[in-house]
Amino acid sequence: MKPSMIKSITAGEIRRGSNQSGNSEKKWIAQRRYILGVLLLGAIVTVFSLSARPLRPATAGPFEDVVSALKQGDAGSLSRFLDNTVEINIAGRSSSYSKAQAEIILKDFFSRNQVKSFELLHQGEAGGGSRYGIGNMATSGGSFRTSFFLQKKGGSLVLNELRFESK
């Protein structure tokens, strides 16, 4: 190589060169910080959205199963939740029945009144973890205002009152 082809580098050019590589390094660090910030923000949003639970559990429980059984007019499904003694009121006739008797009464009621629809209008909680529901039931035999009460017994809810009042 000829000496004229070799360019001499001054101290100023070294500093400028290091600034150019320093600028690209600063841009690279800024880009990484931006990406990490976006990822961190995404992680925080994900954690909060996953930790936010609905007021009621997503899985169906006794209350939801009773509502479903009423919508289908399914006495067999309702009987799974019956207490040992159940008060049933059908069109003004009220009496307390054993679990076995209540199942027969409900089967007879649903065989004479095929359910067309059931709309839950109101639900609530009573003391001690008990729950109740009120709705309208349209059947082949007429419309009924339907209410039910689930009482907490031991570790579960049991159905101890059902009312089918003619509208």
Side-chain angles (χ1 to χ4, degrees), residues 103-121:
E103 186 173 358
I104 293 168
I105 298 291
L106 290 172
K107 281 182 182 178
D108 182 57
F109 174 79
F110 287 127
S111 69
R112 288 184 287 117
N113 300 283
Q114 284 80 31
V115 176
K116 294 179 180 177
S117 67
F118 176 75
E119 178 186 7
L120 184 66
L121 301 174

Side-chain angles (χ1 to χ4, degrees), residues 59-95:
T59 59
F63 184 88
E64 292 78 8
D65 291 343
V66 167
V67 170
S68 178
L70 288 171
K71 284 181 179 181
Q72 297 170 16
D74 186 354
S77 292
L78 275 176
S79 67
R80 291 184 10 228
F81 301 100
L82 294 176
D83 196 0
N84 294 330
T85 303
V86 184
E87 183 177 331
I88 298 179
N89 181 327
I90 298 176
R93 295 186 59 217
S94 181
S95 189

